[in-house]
Amino acid sequence: MTHHRPKDTHHPELTVQAARPKLRRPPLFKVLLLNDDYTPMEFVVLVLERFFGMNHENATQIMLHVHQRGVGVCGVFPKDIAETKVSRVNDYARSHQHPLMCTMEEA
Ligand code: TYC
């Protein structure tokens, strides 16, 4: 004959707090353009249009800001996207023999 365990009728009042793990937003990075004395203004505008999807007016405004202040923000992106933008811009500038420099820093 099969053996039956006694029915467990009594349940102790135990609860477990659902864990709410702290969610950390992935860090964002500002992609920066640096001024120099040699890169033509029109080339910088082209870079901002081509790699940052800006219209001509916005690109011109950012370029002039960098020209006057020395540095400016092209956009804010997750790390891998920012790294790719920096590489593409620097490679493109170098391939046209311009000293234009693009860098990034945590936002
Ligand atoms: N200063 C450059 C010039 O006078 C123009 C320039 C603007 C260069 C922005 C780089 O990131 C730059 N031709």
Side-chain angles (χ1 to χ4, degrees):
M1 187 185 150
T2 43
H3 198 82
H4 292 285
R5 278 179 287 108
K7 281 204 173 95
D8 55 337
T9 50
H10 183 71
H11 299 93
E13 306 296 297
L14 294 179
T15 61
V16 176
Q17 273 304 110
R20 290 206 300 117
K22 303 270 176 292
L23 293 178
R24 312 191 97 285
R25 304 228 160 281
L28 294 175
F29 287 75
K30 293 187 279 193
V31 171
L32 306 173
L33 212 52
L34 307 184
N35 187 38
D36 66 74
D37 292 338
Y38 306 104
T39 305
M41 290 185 173
E42 273 315 314
F43 184 82
V44 178
V45 171
L46 177 74
V47 161
L48 291 168
E49 291 171 344
R50 178 177 292 213
F51 296 100
F52 298 93
M54 293 183 199
N55 62 34
H56 196 76
E57 183 186 326
N58 195 228
T60 301
Q61 192 181 294
I62 300 293
M63 180 280 295
L64 284 175
H65 172 94
V66 176
H67 175 68
Q68 289 157 9
R69 308 287 294 271
V71 61
V73 179
C74 308
V76 177
F77 309 94
K79 188 175 195 182
D80 54 338
I81 306 287
E83 283 171 344
T84 301
K85 301 243 183 232
V86 168
S87 289
R88 299 247 164 104
V89 169
N90 288 331
D91 289 352
Y92 187 69
R94 236 47 83 230
S95 79
H96 290 263
Q97 278 118 45
H98 295 311
L100 180 66
M101 282 280 296
C102 190
T103 62
M104 60 195 268
E105 69 176 31
E106 198 167 340

